[in-house]
Amino acid sequence: MTRQPDRILPGVVLMLAFCVLAPLLDVSAKLASATIPVGQIVTARFVVQGALMAPIILAMGITLWLTPRALGLICLRAVFLILSTFSFVAAISVMPVADALAIAFVEPFILLLLGRLLFGDEVGPRRIAASCVGFAGALLVIQPSLAAFGYVALWPLGTAFFFAFYMLSTRQVAGFMHPVAMQFHTSWTGLLMCLPVMFVANGTGWQHFDPVMPQGVVWLWLFGVGFWAALSHMCMTYALKFAPSATLAPLHYLEIVAAVALGYWIFGDFPNVLTWAGIVVITGSGLYIIYRERLSARALSVSAAKA
């Protein structure tokens, strides 16, 4: 179905809202990580996000029935989201949000290569070269971070890797499930996976898993993790309803700008010259891949029209 031109603007506005709101999730998680274990923060995300999504599901009248195949894919999606979120929160508990986010932005390059390996997607040498350049940009960010924070600087690579698999599993589910239902199901399945870990870890002293009782304003930070996750991803979901992904994809890199601004305002963190160089290389490589994807899609469209 062709989108009406006047609906592109709401899509762009919603995508810009996502770019501003998503880093608030990261800021909330970083603030909470001062006293709360990483695993507990991840669990809080699913608790709050699921609670917020439940009335939306009821109001929209969306069916919650899952086939065995759909349940399996949702569980797989939840596993990858848990691992991705855990890796990122573990990183930003120590290092600046913008630095971690810049490294995690190699995810589109990983997704491109996985699409080629797992689904046989056509990937030309130019896009492969751009992916290699993007990884080189990530190394520019990792190198000073590795020196300053140790091996925790590698956690965002785990985020990128697991989020790429999360996107691939989303690709499998999106064809037959409403995106709002997808978010809700991922929330409750993720919660069911996290709670036993928290129960077993209670009192063990495990650094990232032994839960503690939040105090004072920390409750607000934990709520913020789930609240901003739900709100930002709803913005992205509906942005894609109004505007094509090819239009919205370049805007996603503005999330780094918002992360830098919030990191400087709240934590006093500001990327150094080498980190900025890495951000520029990663962003430039990502935008080039998006450009090549557009050319490829256009060529396929012309070919199909001639046929």
Side-chain angles (χ1 to χ4, degrees), residues 78-124:
V79 167
F80 289 132
L81 184 58
I82 290 169
L83 293 173
S84 173
T85 305
F86 183 93
S87 299
F88 196 75
V89 176
I92 62 174
S93 65
V94 176
M95 62 190 297
V97 172
D99 292 33
L101 187 62
I103 298 169
F105 258 85
V106 301
E107 177 267 331
F109 312 134
I110 297 174
L111 186 59
L112 188 76
L113 298 177
L114 288 176
R116 176 70 181 88
L117 293 173
L118 299 179
F119 299 102
D121 293 346
E122 192 63 36
V123 180

Side-chain angles (χ1 to χ4, degrees), residues 169-181:
S169 58
T170 299
R171 172 176 168 177
Q172 297 300 303
V173 181
F176 59 84
M177 187 178 297
H178 193 284
V180 175

Side-chain angles (χ1 to χ4, degrees), residues 21 25 45 48-50 52-53 56 183 187 223-237:
L21 297 175
L25 183 168
R45 169 185 178 157
V48 176
Q49 189 169 350
L52 292 174
M53 295 300 297
I56 296 175
Q183 284 196 51
S187 296
F223 176 80
V225 171
F227 176 79
W228 297 120
L231 187 58
S232 62
H233 283 268
M234 284 291 287
C235 286
M236 177 181 278
T237 296

Side-chain angles (χ1 to χ4, degrees), residues 203-277:
T204 62
W206 292 353
Q207 178 184 0
H208 291 311
F209 298 99
D210 188 2
V212 300
M213 179 60 67
Q215 300 295 325
V217 74
V218 177
W219 284 104
L220 181 61
W221 306 145
L222 290 175
F223 176 80
V225 171
F227 176 79
W228 297 120
L231 187 58
S232 62
H233 283 268
M234 284 291 287
C235 286
M236 177 181 278
T237 296
Y238 280 94
L240 291 167
K241 282 177 65 72
F242 291 126
S245 58
T247 300
L248 300 178
L251 299 175
H252 192 190
Y253 287 93
L254 293 174
E255 185 181 350
I256 295 180
V257 177
V260 169
L262 287 168
Y264 180 69
W265 178 43
I266 297 173
F267 304 107
D269 296 328
F270 195 77
N272 58 31
V273 174
L274 202 56
T275 300
W276 273 118

Side-chain angles (χ1 to χ4, degrees), residues 27-44:
V27 167
S28 297
K30 186 174 179 66
L31 290 168
S33 68
T35 56
I36 303 296
V38 174
Q40 189 175 349
I41 295 172
V42 176
T43 304

Side-chain angles (χ1 to χ4, degrees), residues 272-297:
N272 58 31
V273 174
L274 202 56
T275 300
W276 273 118
I279 289 172
V280 170
V281 170
I282 293 168
T283 302
S285 302
L287 292 175
Y288 178 76
I289 286 177
I290 291 168
Y291 168 72
R292 293 301 305 176
E293 293 281 357
R294 284 184 176 181
L295 291 183
S296 178

